[in-house]
Amino acid sequence: MVENTGGIEALLHEDRTFPPSEEFRKQANISDPNVYEEARRDPEAFWAKFAEELDWFKKWDKVLEWNPPFAKWFVGGKLNVSYNCLDRHLKSARKNKAAIIWEGEPGDWAVYTYRDLYREVCKFANGLKSLGVKKGDRVTIYLPMVPELPIAMLACARIGAPHSVVFGGFSAESLRDRINDSQSRVMITADGGYRRGNVVPLKQNADDSVTGETPVEHVVVVRRTGTADDKMMSGRDIWWHDLVADQPLTCEPEHMDSEDMLYMLYTSGTTGKPKGIVHTTGGYLTGTYATTKWVFDLKEDDVYWCTADIGWVTGHSYIVYGPLANGATSVMYEGSPDYPDRDRFWSIVEKYACTILYTAPTAIRTFMRWGEEYPAKHDMSSLRLLGSVGEPINPEAWVWYWQTIGGGRCPVVDTWWQTETGSILITPLPGITTLKPGSATHTFPGVEADVLDEAGNSVGPGGGGYLVLTKPWPAMLRNIYGDPERFKETYWSKYPNIYFAGDGAKIDEEGYYWLLGRVDDVINVAAHRVSTMEVESALVDNPKVAEAACIGRTDEIKGQAIVAFVTIKDNVTASDALIAELKQHVATKIGPICRPDDIYFAAELPKTRSGKIMRRLLRDVAEGRTLGDTTTLADPAVVQSLKEQYGDED
Ligand code: PRX
């Protein structure tokens, strides 16, 4: 029997619609639908209007220079991102407004006003300078969700040192690869961070990442958990609090060129080596500023909470840069949603009276499973808008979110974008768009997308194909750090001068976009991108493994789960203990988010005659489906034996 393929069919027949309420529309930052047409007619003027709302030391000479695939935005302009996120708010009453409300997992909390944040950023920027960090030097940041993380990012931006934030869940080895690729001379870390009541040993990982030959000369350590007091290496390590103790309270911001690099952020691709996605200054800030303001309908008195970790792009753009450029109050939470109990998120919403909540479908599905009693314990009437990001949201989860969390009064904005796009590109505008659960609806004004078939023809309404972006946008990636060839090959080679997103999509008869998931060898696990190649390399790194192939299987909560098919060496015996060992091996090698959910042993992997592993067949086996076409297989018996071992009987 052919199985339900993950709800996509259901998605495409979704016919519930949710127009904006009159009340919401009336107060929205943008409620005039003509804005789409205006932006289409003159996208450069549209974006320039937002750029003009920022502070520039020198205005740009030209909005856009487009030499595909290389774009320059606001050419000749000079500005500083930290100045725009801090200094300019000090000129008004905003100086005493909460910029960051931070809550630690154990229950400790802190509020930084804009004035506080400015002071701490300046002090740390001076601290970095005292370590010899100069404009253009890369700095690796490996921190838990503590206030020092955005402070460090803004300090880097202030002195023009691009940061490379590495998610705290990555292993020492992943960290080492990223440090080496970026050639950072300084790393900022913490002794540990709290997660589900335990301490994540960041300092230990940081130490392990800089053994042997390393570019790192200084490690700045935030004292968070008190678990590394005896592990400071003299001459290399310095406590954050010691570094800033005697620093001046102000630090002149560097005048950065609009196209100077603001940061790089590594993301998984279809090969084993993560790509350092390069974002620059003027365009990125304009894109994140504009989208935060319009998509989240951000107002002066909002309390905005994006639950992502800053280690991912969502946190960069929508906890730090977008909200702070808008002078917003941004909430930051360190830990897990089920500590000490499953109502932690809702207790945070109630405690700080959050008005906007931005989270991932995987979290929403988890909350659905936990049950309504947890949100019901809290007063969440402060909420007025909800957002979703990271993976397709199934209509059931959408409607549950709308009803149970939003009380049926908050628009839900399903926002599609990527590390590479820098800012949200496909999204409702909550004061304009009639929502359809499961659809990210339309492109943000000024953004041009399409869905193409293999040959590059537009599929038109009702058709499915590859999502592409046909015009440059300000926050777009500029390059892959140190690898322009890979940049061209990955994003710009399938269709000339058109950005290939790697996602499947469909446009319905009313022009709504429906995102259908990745079309390459990237698995989206709990809204995190995992490369099948990276997991496979980690598996074959174990001496007992001869060959490995990974696929994503549909998972009710996480969207996709990682399934590995492993061929072991002749002298090794398959066992449950070996499965556990291999799972742990991957977790240690890359990081716990990449730990396979299932490992199957296979005598051989199904391959085409040209030697390519047929992942589609493995997906069929893992999901218990009748096998599709196997005619290109070199040896059909291979799949038959796999199916007998693991597949469901028809
Ligand atoms: O497959 C799409 C999915 O997440 C990918 C980008 O992952 P990453 O670079 O880690 O950034 C995640 C946060 C922006 C996309 O290629 N994705 C992201 N948002 C959505 C989505 N899929 C469907 N609907 C979304 N709203």
Side-chain angles (χ1 to χ4, degrees), residues 171-213:
S171 67
E173 203 168 317
S174 296
L175 178 60
R176 177 197 296 273
D177 291 344
R178 287 156 172 77
I179 289 171
N180 289 344
D181 190 72
S182 63
Q183 286 292 301
S184 301
R185 285 191 295 117
V186 171
M187 168 161 51
I188 303 158
T189 189
D191 48 1
Y194 292 103
R195 184 82 198 172
R196 207 162 277 139
N198 299 314
V199 171
V200 182
L202 290 171
K203 177 66 162 68
Q204 186 59 55
N205 291 346
D207 285 348
D208 293 346
S209 75
V210 294
T211 53
E213 208 177 305

mmCIF file of all heavy atoms in Angstrom, residues 171-213:
data_model
loop_
_atom_site.group_PDB
_atom_site.id
_atom_site.type_symbol
_atom_site.label_atom_id
_atom_site.label_comp_id
_atom_site.label_asym_id
_atom_site.label_seq_id
_atom_site.Cartn_x
_atom_site.Cartn_y
_atom_site.Cartn_z
ATOM 1 N N SER A 171 29.878 19.740 18.580
ATOM 2 C CA SER A 171 30.985 19.073 19.262
ATOM 3 C C SER A 171 32.286 19.856 19.103
ATOM 4 O O SER A 171 32.381 20.789 18.294
ATOM 5 C CB SER A 171 31.191 17.708 18.632
ATOM 6 O OG SER A 171 31.642 17.893 17.302
ATOM 7 N N ALA A 172 33.291 19.406 19.849
ATOM 8 C CA ALA A 172 34.627 20.012 19.761
ATOM 9 C C ALA A 172 35.155 19.936 18.335
ATOM 10 O O ALA A 172 35.761 20.879 17.830
ATOM 11 C CB ALA A 172 35.572 19.288 20.712
ATOM 12 N N GLU A 173 34.902 18.807 17.679
ATOM 13 C CA GLU A 173 35.456 18.644 16.341
ATOM 14 C C GLU A 173 34.787 19.576 15.327
ATOM 15 O O GLU A 173 35.449 20.157 14.465
ATOM 16 C CB GLU A 173 35.293 17.191 15.908
ATOM 17 C CG GLU A 173 36.287 16.846 14.853
ATOM 18 C CD GLU A 173 36.360 15.357 14.606
ATOM 19 O OE1 GLU A 173 36.356 14.588 15.586
ATOM 20 O OE2 GLU A 173 36.396 14.981 13.423
ATOM 21 N N SER A 174 33.454 19.713 15.444
ATOM 22 C CA SER A 174 32.753 20.645 14.559
ATOM 23 C C SER A 174 33.245 22.065 14.803
ATOM 24 O O SER A 174 33.419 22.846 13.872
ATOM 25 C CB SER A 174 31.246 20.598 14.818
ATOM 26 O OG SER A 174 30.736 19.342 14.501
ATOM 27 N N LEU A 175 33.449 22.376 16.074
ATOM 28 C CA LEU A 175 33.953 23.701 16.437
ATOM 29 C C LEU A 175 35.344 23.922 15.834
ATOM 30 O O LEU A 175 35.624 24.977 15.253
ATOM 31 C CB LEU A 175 33.976 23.818 17.965
ATOM 32 C CG LEU A 175 34.520 25.097 18.580
ATOM 33 C CD1 LEU A 175 33.721 26.315 18.128
ATOM 34 C CD2 LEU A 175 34.479 25.004 20.124
ATOM 35 N N ARG A 176 36.190 22.924 15.937
ATOM 36 C CA ARG A 176 37.547 23.028 15.398
ATOM 37 C C ARG A 176 37.507 23.316 13.884
ATOM 38 O O ARG A 176 38.205 24.199 13.390
ATOM 39 C CB ARG A 176 38.312 21.727 15.653
ATOM 40 C CG ARG A 176 39.728 21.725 15.054
ATOM 41 C CD ARG A 176 40.277 20.312 14.962
ATOM 42 N NE ARG A 176 40.440 19.700 16.266
ATOM 43 C CZ ARG A 176 41.527 19.825 17.023
ATOM 44 N NH1 ARG A 176 42.543 20.532 16.591
ATOM 45 N NH2 ARG A 176 41.601 19.227 18.190
ATOM 46 N N ASP A 177 36.659 22.571 13.160
ATOM 47 C CA ASP A 177 36.556 22.788 11.704
ATOM 48 C C ASP A 177 36.186 24.227 11.388
ATOM 49 O O ASP A 177 36.709 24.840 10.461
ATOM 50 C CB ASP A 177 35.458 21.900 11.093
ATOM 51 C CG ASP A 177 35.844 20.435 11.132
ATOM 52 O OD1 ASP A 177 37.036 20.141 11.340
ATOM 53 O OD2 ASP A 177 34.934 19.589 10.963
ATOM 54 N N ARG A 178 35.244 24.751 12.164
ATOM 55 C CA ARG A 178 34.761 26.112 11.909
ATOM 56 C C ARG A 178 35.812 27.151 12.292
ATOM 57 O O ARG A 178 35.953 28.177 11.624
ATOM 58 C CB ARG A 178 33.438 26.341 12.660
ATOM 59 C CG ARG A 178 32.266 25.579 12.001
ATOM 60 C CD ARG A 178 31.136 25.284 12.968
ATOM 61 N NE ARG A 178 29.949 24.729 12.342
ATOM 62 C CZ ARG A 178 29.796 23.466 11.936
ATOM 63 N NH1 ARG A 178 30.793 22.588 12.076
ATOM 64 N NH2 ARG A 178 28.673 23.053 11.381
ATOM 65 N N ILE A 179 36.531 26.888 13.383
ATOM 66 C CA ILE A 179 37.620 27.804 13.780
ATOM 67 C C ILE A 179 38.695 27.824 12.694
ATOM 68 O O ILE A 179 39.184 28.870 12.291
ATOM 69 C CB ILE A 179 38.243 27.360 15.131
ATOM 70 C CG1 ILE A 179 37.273 27.606 16.276
ATOM 71 C CG2 ILE A 179 39.571 28.063 15.365
ATOM 72 C CD1 ILE A 179 37.709 26.999 17.596
ATOM 73 N N ASN A 180 39.040 26.641 12.212
ATOM 74 C CA ASN A 180 40.105 26.570 11.215
ATOM 75 C C ASN A 180 39.685 27.217 9.904
ATOM 76 O O ASN A 180 40.457 27.927 9.271
ATOM 77 C CB ASN A 180 40.519 25.114 10.981
ATOM 78 C CG ASN A 180 41.277 24.565 12.182
ATOM 79 O OD1 ASN A 180 41.739 25.333 13.034
ATOM 80 N ND2 ASN A 180 41.393 23.253 12.263
ATOM 81 N N ASP A 181 38.437 26.979 9.505
ATOM 82 C CA ASP A 181 37.980 27.553 8.246
ATOM 83 C C ASP A 181 37.965 29.081 8.314
ATOM 84 O O ASP A 181 38.311 29.757 7.356
ATOM 85 C CB ASP A 181 36.583 27.026 7.897
ATOM 86 C CG ASP A 181 36.168 27.400 6.493
ATOM 87 O OD1 ASP A 181 36.728 26.824 5.541
ATOM 88 O OD2 ASP A 181 35.299 28.290 6.337
ATOM 89 N N SER A 182 37.571 29.599 9.475
ATOM 90 C CA SER A 182 37.484 31.062 9.597
ATOM 91 C C SER A 182 38.802 31.685 10.039
ATOM 92 O O SER A 182 38.957 32.895 10.012
ATOM 93 C CB SER A 182 36.386 31.443 10.606
ATOM 94 O OG SER A 182 36.719 30.961 11.896
ATOM 95 N N GLN A 183 39.755 30.836 10.475
ATOM 96 C CA GLN A 183 41.047 31.318 10.970
ATOM 97 C C GLN A 183 40.869 32.386 12.055
ATOM 98 O O GLN A 183 41.442 33.480 11.974
ATOM 99 C CB GLN A 183 41.904 31.846 9.806
ATOM 100 C CG GLN A 183 42.471 30.724 8.933
ATOM 101 C CD GLN A 183 43.524 29.893 9.675
ATOM 102 O OE1 GLN A 183 44.540 30.414 10.136
ATOM 103 N NE2 GLN A 183 43.272 28.591 9.836
ATOM 104 N N SER A 184 40.076 32.052 13.061
ATOM 105 C CA SER A 184 39.852 32.988 14.171
ATOM 106 C C SER A 184 41.031 32.943 15.135
ATOM 107 O O SER A 184 41.449 31.860 15.532
ATOM 108 C CB SER A 184 38.586 32.597 14.941
ATOM 109 O OG SER A 184 37.470 32.610 14.104
ATOM 110 N N ARG A 185 41.478 34.112 15.553
ATOM 111 C CA ARG A 185 42.552 34.137 16.556
ATOM 112 C C ARG A 185 41.995 34.246 17.978
ATOM 113 O O ARG A 185 42.685 34.014 18.949
ATOM 114 C CB ARG A 185 43.525 35.282 16.268
ATOM 115 C CG ARG A 185 44.435 34.955 15.079
ATOM 116 C CD ARG A 185 45.562 35.932 14.930
ATOM 117 N NE ARG A 185 45.053 37.253 14.602
ATOM 118 C CZ ARG A 185 45.195 38.324 15.381
ATOM 119 N NH1 ARG A 185 45.841 38.226 16.520
ATOM 120 N NH2 ARG A 185 44.693 39.483 15.013
ATOM 121 N N VAL A 186 40.719 34.607 18.045
ATOM 122 C CA VAL A 186 40.081 34.727 19.354
ATOM 123 C C VAL A 186 38.797 33.910 19.364
ATOM 124 O O VAL A 186 38.047 33.914 18.396
ATOM 125 C CB VAL A 186 39.760 36.210 19.672
ATOM 126 C CG1 VAL A 186 38.911 36.343 20.931
ATOM 127 C CG2 VAL A 186 41.049 37.008 19.822
ATOM 128 N N MET A 187 38.577 33.191 20.475
ATOM 129 C CA MET A 187 37.317 32.480 20.669
ATOM 130 C C MET A 187 36.700 32.965 21.988
ATOM 131 O O MET A 187 37.403 33.197 22.969
ATOM 132 C CB MET A 187 37.551 30.970 20.749
ATOM 133 C CG MET A 187 36.306 30.225 21.250
ATOM 134 S SD MET A 187 36.264 28.479 20.897
ATOM 135 C CE MET A 187 37.834 27.924 21.482
ATOM 136 N N ILE A 188 35.371 33.111 21.964
ATOM 137 C CA ILE A 188 34.662 33.494 23.186
ATOM 138 C C ILE A 188 33.775 32.324 23.580
ATOM 139 O O ILE A 188 32.981 31.842 22.765
ATOM 140 C CB ILE A 188 33.811 34.761 22.948
ATOM 141 C CG1 ILE A 188 34.716 35.903 22.437
ATOM 142 C CG2 ILE A 188 33.085 35.179 24.221
ATOM 143 C CD1 ILE A 188 33.960 36.976 21.692
ATOM 144 N N THR A 189 33.917 31.859 24.806
ATOM 145 C CA THR A 189 33.114 30.724 25.243
ATOM 146 C C THR A 189 32.682 30.940 26.702
ATOM 147 O O THR A 189 32.849 32.024 27.252
ATOM 148 C CB THR A 189 33.885 29.397 25.045
ATOM 149 O OG1 THR A 189 33.013 28.298 25.281
ATOM 150 C CG2 THR A 189 35.095 29.294 25.958
ATOM 151 N N ALA A 190 32.092 29.914 27.289
ATOM 152 C CA ALA A 190 31.702 29.980 28.703
ATOM 153 C C ALA A 190 32.153 28.679 29.345
ATOM 154 O O ALA A 190 32.403 27.689 28.645
ATOM 155 C CB ALA A 190 30.187 30.134 28.836
ATOM 156 N N ASP A 191 32.184 28.680 30.674
ATOM 157 C CA ASP A 191 32.532 27.412 31.324
ATOM 158 C C ASP A 191 31.463 26.366 31.028
ATOM 159 O O ASP A 191 31.745 25.212 30.766
ATOM 160 C CB ASP A 191 32.777 27.598 32.833
ATOM 161 C CG ASP A 191 31.698 28.412 33.545
ATOM 162 O OD1 ASP A 191 30.712 28.841 32.892
ATOM 163 O OD2 ASP A 191 31.839 28.626 34.771
ATOM 164 N N GLY A 192 30.204 26.809 31.025
ATOM 165 C CA GLY A 192 29.124 25.876 30.709
ATOM 166 C C GLY A 192 27.825 26.632 30.519
ATOM 167 O O GLY A 192 27.769 27.854 30.647
ATOM 168 N N GLY A 193 26.797 25.890 30.166
ATOM 169 C CA GLY A 193 25.461 26.477 30.054
ATOM 170 C C GLY A 193 24.475 25.474 30.620
ATOM 171 O O GLY A 193 24.814 24.289 30.747
ATOM 172 N N TYR A 194 23.281 25.949 30.976
ATOM 173 C CA TYR A 194 22.297 25.026 31.555
ATOM 174 C C TYR A 194 21.330 24.520 30.499
ATOM 175 O O TYR A 194 20.821 25.292 29.686
ATOM 176 C CB TYR A 194 21.521 25.716 32.674
ATOM 177 C CG TYR A 194 22.393 26.010 33.869
ATOM 178 C CD1 TYR A 194 22.880 27.289 34.116
ATOM 179 C CD2 TYR A 194 22.749 24.985 34.743
ATOM 180 C CE1 TYR A 194 23.691 27.554 35.209
ATOM 181 C CE2 TYR A 194 23.569 25.238 35.838
ATOM 182 C CZ TYR A 194 24.036 26.523 36.068
ATOM 183 O OH TYR A 194 24.849 26.771 37.143
ATOM 184 N N ARG A 195 21.087 23.225 30.531
ATOM 185 C CA ARG A 195 20.134 22.625 29.612
ATOM 186 C C ARG A 195 19.480 21.455 30.327
ATOM 187 O O ARG A 195 20.155 20.517 30.722
ATOM 188 C CB ARG A 195 20.878 22.143 28.363
ATOM 189 C CG ARG A 195 19.994 21.587 27.273
ATOM 190 C CD ARG A 195 19.382 22.685 26.421
ATOM 191 N NE ARG A 195 18.245 22.163 25.695
ATOM 192 C CZ ARG A 195 17.399 22.879 24.991
ATOM 193 N NH1 ARG A 195 17.536 24.175 24.896
ATOM 194 N NH2 ARG A 195 16.390 22.324 24.364
ATOM 195 N N ARG A 196 18.170 21.546 30.508
ATOM 196 C CA ARG A 196 17.368 20.517 31.171
ATOM 197 C C ARG A 196 17.982 20.121 32.520
ATOM 198 O O ARG A 196 18.098 18.948 32.846
ATOM 199 C CB ARG A 196 17.217 19.311 30.258
ATOM 200 C CG ARG A 196 15.954 18.515 30.528
ATOM 201 C CD ARG A 196 15.608 17.607 29.376
ATOM 202 N NE ARG A 196 14.880 18.329 28.356
ATOM 203 C CZ ARG A 196 15.055 18.198 27.043
ATOM 204 N NH1 ARG A 196 15.946 17.380 26.575
ATOM 205 N NH2 ARG A 196 14.339 18.880 26.201
ATOM 206 N N GLY A 197 18.424 21.135 33.254
ATOM 207 C CA GLY A 197 18.949 20.885 34.593
ATOM 208 C C GLY A 197 20.392 20.432 34.624
ATOM 209 O O GLY A 197 20.984 20.313 35.691
ATOM 210 N N ASN A 198 20.979 20.162 33.461
ATOM 211 C CA ASN A 198 22.378 19.735 33.427
ATOM 212 C C ASN A 198 23.264 20.864 32.911
ATOM 213 O O ASN A 198 22.780 21.801 32.282
ATOM 214 C CB ASN A 198 22.552 18.538 32.486
ATOM 215 C CG ASN A 198 21.729 17.358 32.957
ATOM 216 O OD1 ASN A 198 21.728 17.026 34.143
ATOM 217 N ND2 ASN A 198 20.997 16.754 32.036
ATOM 218 N N VAL A 199 24.569 20.689 33.146
ATOM 219 C CA VAL A 199 25.526 21.655 32.626
ATOM 220 C C VAL A 199 26.096 21.122 31.309
ATOM 221 O O VAL A 199 26.577 19.997 31.240
ATOM 222 C CB VAL A 199 26.666 21.899 33.643
ATOM 223 C CG1 VAL A 199 27.777 22.728 33.011
ATOM 224 C CG2 VAL A 199 26.124 22.602 34.889
ATOM 225 N N VAL A 200 26.012 21.933 30.266
ATOM 226 C CA VAL A 200 26.662 21.583 28.998
ATOM 227 C C VAL A 200 28.113 22.063 29.097
ATOM 228 O O VAL A 200 28.357 23.257 29.307
ATOM 229 C CB VAL A 200 25.964 22.279 27.807
ATOM 230 C CG1 VAL A 200 26.612 21.886 26.486
ATOM 231 C CG2 VAL A 200 24.464 21.968 27.796
ATOM 232 N N PRO A 201 29.085 21.153 28.971
ATOM 233 C CA PRO A 201 30.492 21.513 29.253
ATOM 234 C C PRO A 201 31.164 22.233 28.086
ATOM 235 O O PRO A 201 32.020 21.692 27.398
ATOM 236 C CB PRO A 201 31.139 20.150 29.495
ATOM 237 C CG PRO A 201 30.351 19.212 28.623
ATOM 238 C CD PRO A 201 28.946 19.748 28.547
ATOM 239 N N LEU A 202 30.792 23.473 27.883
ATOM 240 C CA LEU A 202 31.307 24.195 26.712
ATOM 241 C C LEU A 202 32.819 24.401 26.769
ATOM 242 O O LEU A 202 33.510 24.264 25.766
ATOM 243 C CB LEU A 202 30.604 25.549 26.593
ATOM 244 C CG LEU A 202 29.135 25.451 26.193
ATOM 245 C CD1 LEU A 202 28.462 26.803 26.323
ATOM 246 C CD2 LEU A 202 28.989 24.938 24.775
ATOM 247 N N LYS A 203 33.330 24.707 27.963
ATOM 248 C CA LYS A 203 34.772 24.989 28.067
ATOM 249 C C LYS A 203 35.578 23.742 27.712
ATOM 250 O O LYS A 203 36.617 23.828 27.061
ATOM 251 C CB LYS A 203 35.095 25.467 29.489
ATOM 252 C CG LYS A 203 36.573 25.729 29.754
ATOM 253 C CD LYS A 203 37.103 26.904 28.933
ATOM 254 C CE LYS A 203 38.405 27.474 29.458
ATOM 255 N NZ LYS A 203 39.545 26.585 29.325
ATOM 256 N N GLN A 204 35.062 22.600 28.119
ATOM 257 C CA GLN A 204 35.750 21.346 27.787
ATOM 258 C C GLN A 204 35.821 21.183 26.266
ATOM 259 O O GLN A 204 36.867 20.883 25.696
ATOM 260 C CB GLN A 204 34.996 20.161 28.412
ATOM 261 C CG GLN A 204 35.703 18.826 28.253
ATOM 262 C CD GLN A 204 37.090 18.855 28.875
ATOM 263 O OE1 GLN A 204 37.234 19.180 30.046
ATOM 264 N NE2 GLN A 204 38.118 18.553 28.080
ATOM 265 N N ASN A 205 34.676 21.384 25.598
ATOM 266 C CA ASN A 205 34.659 21.287 24.135
ATOM 267 C C ASN A 205 35.577 22.326 23.505
ATOM 268 O O ASN A 205 36.296 22.042 22.545
ATOM 269 C CB ASN A 205 33.243 21.504 23.586
ATOM 270 C CG ASN A 205 32.315 20.360 23.945
ATOM 271 O OD1 ASN A 205 32.756 19.299 24.373
ATOM 272 N ND2 ASN A 205 31.023 20.580 23.777
ATOM 273 N N ALA A 206 35.505 23.542 24.058
ATOM 274 C CA ALA A 206 36.347 24.618 23.518
ATOM 275 C C ALA A 206 37.824 24.233 23.640
ATOM 276 O O ALA A 206 38.601 24.390 22.687
ATOM 277 C CB ALA A 206 36.063 25.927 24.241
ATOM 278 N N ASP A 207 38.210 23.704 24.806
ATOM 279 C CA ASP A 207 39.605 23.279 25.001
ATOM 280 C C ASP A 207 39.987 22.203 23.990
ATOM 281 O O ASP A 207 41.052 22.241 23.378
ATOM 282 C CB ASP A 207 39.809 22.729 26.418
ATOM 283 C CG ASP A 207 39.845 23.837 27.468
ATOM 284 O OD1 ASP A 207 39.949 25.013 27.071
ATOM 285 O OD2 ASP A 207 39.754 23.518 28.669
ATOM 286 N N ASP A 208 39.092 21.238 23.814
ATOM 287 C CA ASP A 208 39.400 20.134 22.900
ATOM 288 C C ASP A 208 39.495 20.596 21.447
ATOM 289 O O ASP A 208 40.078 19.910 20.613
ATOM 290 C CB ASP A 208 38.316 19.044 22.998
ATOM 291 C CG ASP A 208 38.349 18.354 24.363
ATOM 292 O OD1 ASP A 208 39.355 18.529 25.083
ATOM 293 O OD2 ASP A 208 37.373 17.659 24.708
ATOM 294 N N SER A 209 38.874 21.741 21.156
ATOM 295 C CA SER A 209 38.865 22.205 19.761
ATOM 296 C C SER A 209 40.131 22.952 19.382
ATOM 297 O O SER A 209 40.353 23.240 18.217
ATOM 298 C CB SER A 209 37.649 23.100 19.519
ATOM 299 O OG SER A 209 37.863 24.373 20.107
ATOM 300 N N VAL A 210 40.940 23.312 20.367
ATOM 301 C CA VAL A 210 42.134 24.105 20.050
ATOM 302 C C VAL A 210 43.434 23.393 20.431
ATOM 303 O O VAL A 210 44.471 24.023 20.593
ATOM 304 C CB VAL A 210 42.082 25.513 20.712
ATOM 305 C CG1 VAL A 210 40.956 26.334 20.106
ATOM 306 C CG2 VAL A 210 41.905 25.424 22.229
ATOM 307 N N THR A 211 43.367 22.072 20.558
ATOM 308 C CA THR A 211 44.597 21.327 20.816
ATOM 309 C C THR A 211 45.380 21.242 19.506
ATOM 310 O O THR A 211 44.811 21.359 18.424
ATOM 311 C CB THR A 211 44.284 19.896 21.298
ATOM 312 O OG1 THR A 211 43.393 19.313 20.344
ATOM 313 C CG2 THR A 211 43.659 19.879 22.667
ATOM 314 N N GLY A 212 46.686 21.021 19.615
ATOM 315 C CA GLY A 212 47.519 20.904 18.408
ATOM 316 C C GLY A 212 47.610 22.236 17.691
ATOM 317 O O GLY A 212 47.534 23.298 18.295
ATOM 318 N N GLU A 213 47.721 22.161 16.380
ATOM 319 C CA GLU A 213 47.865 23.395 15.608
ATOM 320 C C GLU A 213 46.529 24.111 15.523
ATOM 321 O O GLU A 213 45.534 23.519 15.123
ATOM 322 C CB GLU A 213 48.329 23.036 14.200
ATOM 323 C CG GLU A 213 49.135 24.142 13.565
ATOM 324 C CD GLU A 213 49.631 23.721 12.200
ATOM 325 O OE1 GLU A 213 50.303 22.664 12.118
ATOM 326 O OE2 GLU A 213 49.307 24.425 11.241
#
